[in-house]
Amino acid sequence: MGPGEERSEIAFFDVETTVPTRVGQGFAILEFGAILVCPRKLVELESYSTLVRPHDLSLVSSLSVRCNGITRDAVVSAPNFRDIADRVYDILHGRIWAGHNILRFDCARIREAFAEIGRPAPEPKGSIDSLALLTQRFGRRAGDMKMATLATYFGLGQQTHRSLDDVRMNLEVLKYCATVLFLESSLPDIFTTNSWVSPNAVTRSRSNGKASPVGMNLNMSTPSSSIKFENHSISSPSTHSSMGGILNLVEPNTNRPDPFNLGALSSEIEKESLQPDYALEEKPVTESLEMPSTTTASQDCCDYAGFLDPAEVSVASISASFVPLYRGTRRMQILHKDVKLLLHCTQLRVRFGISTRFVDPAGRPRLSFVVDGSPSLCQVLDACDQLAYKLSVDSGSSSEWRPVVIRKTGFLNTPTIRLSIPTVTNGDIAIYATEIYQKDPSGITQRLIFSRFDAAELDTLFVPGTLVDTYFALDPYDYQQNAGIKLVAKKLIIHGK
């Protein structure tokens, strides 16, 4: 860019990356794509895209191939990032940057890539994150506001997860959204917000709040997230932006109530027992329910045939997606071969006994304990973690992600995992929702029946060094700026000594 040259074009860009398979690995750019757009006519002026060879081809794992379809063979002859750095810098530097979820993902990857080759990164004169902008201005009428969902909403076809295709789709989505918002703000008495519901959308009845289909097609697989979105606005270090005129056109009518206010729904969701242990307020535990405890012979429990040993799990067959919850909301679920993933591990060694550090809204402790993770279990959980984390980031969550496998430096510090023991209540009485058994050295197994909620009594069973057979579910969460996967114990068999 020459001295005094004004770069008024908007640079829509997207990067496709590897998916980290272990903690601390980071992302590697596999593809960069960008288009330069005239801000007055919203037409494409120039385009550029290229595959990028990472410094280590082993980073292109099966997980990243499943996300974007870019294989090792595809990038083996591609230029590395140092080779394209000048072109990328020229496209981006001094222009307005635009893209979907770029503030949390793509911008960070660009800066990391330039830092790795020891060069200063390009700087924008303004940023437009269409995920944050459209979530704020367009509302949740299109579900989770992911690019694929928005494209389906407007009938623009399938997202390919290739850089140049994605940025062009991003521009088309913005055009459609801006047109709808312009019409709504210009003629609010005729074009109400609710009149612009897609035939594939799901609405909530004002009378009972239940989800109901609109039109002929209700696609229950269309993802929609209850993940919170970070409220970014268009930022620019200059006082005047060439996008100002466009944004003024789509300014919503602030005199009308927002029909997509999710405040009440968020309050209802927070009332559910979905929050993790560390998201709860710490209080001293002073008492428990006073009831006797007994032990009975083993009896049949629910069917655990669907629980898989980690050795039975194909990492390539693991996926993360959003599924319907209630009232039009969705939640994340971990799947294996399109079935909810449930795990069964034998003889895990207890590292730390029952924790009562955190409490639920009723003041009862949230119970959990820590076990050493076997290599096969950690491999499966790491794969789940990476897929869930990427889905969370792609959905616009601003929460801090907490890895499910806990790793600390040191020779004796093997990886550990935390298992939660949920409780259910009946009035003022709380009982453990987990089936707990005890197996004596002769092999006889008995189910333990607890007649009172007593964390101290339970702690005597989970002594460090004790071996436990576990059956547990993977429960992704996003609550109070913390996100991750909670492991919920369904059945525990404690080995006696």
Side-chain angles (χ1 to χ4, degrees):
M1 180 173 67
E5 181 183 344
E6 177 65 23
R7 314 193 89 186
S8 61
E9 305 93 348
I10 305 170
F12 281 81
F13 74 98
D14 176 76
V15 297
E16 297 297 330
T17 70
T18 60
V19 177
T21 55
R22 63 177 183 272
V23 175
Q25 186 177 70
F27 297 85
I29 293 178
L30 296 177
E31 187 177 43
F32 173 85
I35 59 174
L36 297 182
V37 174
C38 171
R40 298 187 180 277
K41 298 182 179 180
L42 293 184
V43 294
E44 182 179 325
L45 303 175
E46 184 181 342
S47 67
Y48 172 76
S49 69
T50 179
L51 291 169
V52 182
R53 177 191 170 103
H55 68 277
D56 182 1
L57 283 175
S58 67
L59 296 176
V60 186
S61 65
S62 60
L63 293 179
S64 66
V65 173
R66 289 170 56 201
C67 289
N68 50 46
I70 301 175
T71 64
R72 294 180 187 178
D73 290 341
V75 298
V76 67
S77 300
N80 58 39
F81 189 80
R82 186 183 297 274
D83 296 331
I84 66 166
D86 287 339
R87 185 77 172 101
V88 173
Y89 188 94
D90 181 65
I91 291 171
L92 296 180
H93 187 65
R95 288 191 168 99
I96 297 171
W97 293 5
H100 208 64
N101 198 31
I102 60 168
L103 292 179
R104 283 188 52 81
F105 190 79
D106 303 78
C107 293
R109 305 291 83 80
I110 291 294
R111 293 189 173 100
E112 289 169 359
F114 275 91
E116 287 176 1
I117 62 173
R119 292 185 49 173
E123 293 296 334
K125 70 176 181 179
S127 301
I128 303 171
D129 191 323
S130 57
L131 173 60
L133 177 66
L134 295 181
T135 299
Q136 182 182 27
R137 301 292 183 91
F138 196 66
R140 295 292 297 277
R141 68 186 87 180
D144 62 5
M145 305 302 289
K146 292 174 63 176
M147 185 55 59
T149 310
L150 287 161
T152 300
Y153 182 87
F154 288 115
L156 297 176
Q158 296 291 322
Q159 184 185 14
T160 64
H161 289 287
R162 297 301 298 269
S163 294
L164 201 56
D165 290 341
D166 283 2
V167 292
R168 285 172 173 154
M169 178 173 281
N170 194 178
L171 177 59
E172 291 304 305
V173 164
L174 277 175
K175 289 179 181 178
Y176 275 78
C177 289
T179 301
V180 170
L181 292 170
F182 170 69
L183 291 173
E184 288 179 355
S185 61
S186 300
L187 301 169
D189 296 332
I190 299 175
F191 299 117
T192 63
T193 305
N194 285 335
S195 70
W196 293 99
V197 178
S198 165
N200 295 324
V202 177
T203 63
R204 292 192 299 274
S205 166
R206 292 182 180 270
S207 59
N208 58 21
K210 295 182 179 179
S212 58
V214 179
M216 296 300 293
N217 299 319
L218 173 60
N219 185 359
M220 295 302 290
S221 64
T222 302
S224 174
S225 168
S226 59
I227 294 178
K228 301 176 183 64
F229 290 87
E230 189 172 21
N231 289 325
H232 296 290
S233 58
I234 292 184
S235 58
S236 174
S238 61
T239 56
H240 173 74
S241 169
S242 55
M243 283 293 286
I246 297 173
L247 294 176
N248 288 336
L249 289 178
V250 300
E251 182 70 24
N253 188 336
T254 56
N255 294 326
R256 290 181 289 149
D258 181 9
F260 296 94
N261 185 350
L262 299 183
L265 179 59
S266 298
S267 299
E268 291 184 28
I269 293 175
E270 290 182 3
K271 291 178 182 178
E272 293 198 344
S273 301
L274 300 178
Q275 53 266 56
D277 290 352
Y278 44 74
L280 299 171
E281 180 182 1
E282 293 187 44
K283 296 180 183 178
V285 180
T286 57
E287 61 180 1
S288 60
L289 300 177
E290 295 297 330
M291 291 178 288
S293 175
T294 62
T295 305
T296 68
S298 175
Q299 51 186 293
D300 291 337
C301 60
C302 58
D303 183 16
Y304 290 94
F307 287 73
L308 301 177
D309 185 277
E312 300 176 302
V313 177
S314 168
V315 171
S317 298
I318 299 174
S319 61
S321 64
F322 290 103
V323 295
L325 185 59
Y326 65 93
R327 293 195 176 187
T329 65
R330 309 290 164 99
R331 68 175 302 175
M332 192 187 298
Q333 192 172 73
I334 307 297
L335 306 174
H336 180 256
K337 296 181 179 179
D338 298 325
V339 177
K340 184 176 180 180
L341 179 59
L342 302 168
L343 292 175
H344 162 49
C345 297
T346 59
Q347 299 194 357
L348 295 180
R349 188 176 301 276
V350 175
R351 172 76 70 90
F352 301 111
I354 296 297
S355 168
T356 59
R357 184 181 178 188
F358 301 97
V359 298
D360 64 15
R364 284 181 291 268
R366 292 272 189 177
L367 304 180
S368 65
F369 65 101
V370 175
V371 297
D372 293 331
S374 66
S376 60
L377 174 59
C378 291
Q379 181 184 23
V380 171
L381 292 180
D382 284 339
C384 296
D385 217 34
Q386 296 297 339
L387 287 170
Y389 168 69
K390 188 175 190 305
L391 184 58
S392 176
V393 170
D394 289 346
S395 300
S397 173
S398 60
S399 298
E400 177 184 357
W401 188 267
R402 297 177 178 263
V404 66
V405 179
I406 306 166
R407 291 180 172 88
K408 296 183 178 180
T409 57
F411 178 74
L412 297 177
N413 288 324
T414 57
T416 60
I417 62 171
R418 180 177 295 276
L419 289 164
S420 298
I421 300 178
T423 57
V424 293
T425 59
N426 183 9
D428 293 331
I429 299 175
I431 60 174
Y432 308 126
T434 303
E435 294 182 7
I436 303 177
Y437 294 77
Q438 193 166 43
K439 185 176 184 179
D440 64 27
S442 66
I444 298 176
T445 302
Q446 293 181 318
R447 181 173 180 180
L448 304 181
I449 303 299
F450 299 88
S451 56
R452 63 177 179 176
F453 183 94
D454 189 341
E457 179 186 37
L458 202 60
D459 192 42
T460 62
L461 299 172
F462 294 89
V463 178
T466 301
L467 299 180
V468 183
D469 297 344
T470 62
Y471 296 77
F472 58 91
L474 289 75
D475 185 12
Y477 62 84
D478 192 320
Y479 180 77
Q480 293 185 348
Q481 294 301 300
N482 290 295
I485 300 174
K486 185 176 182 179
L487 306 181
V488 181
K490 300 296 185 180
K491 177 182 176 181
L492 299 170
I493 302 175
I494 305 166
H495 290 246
K497 295 181 180 180

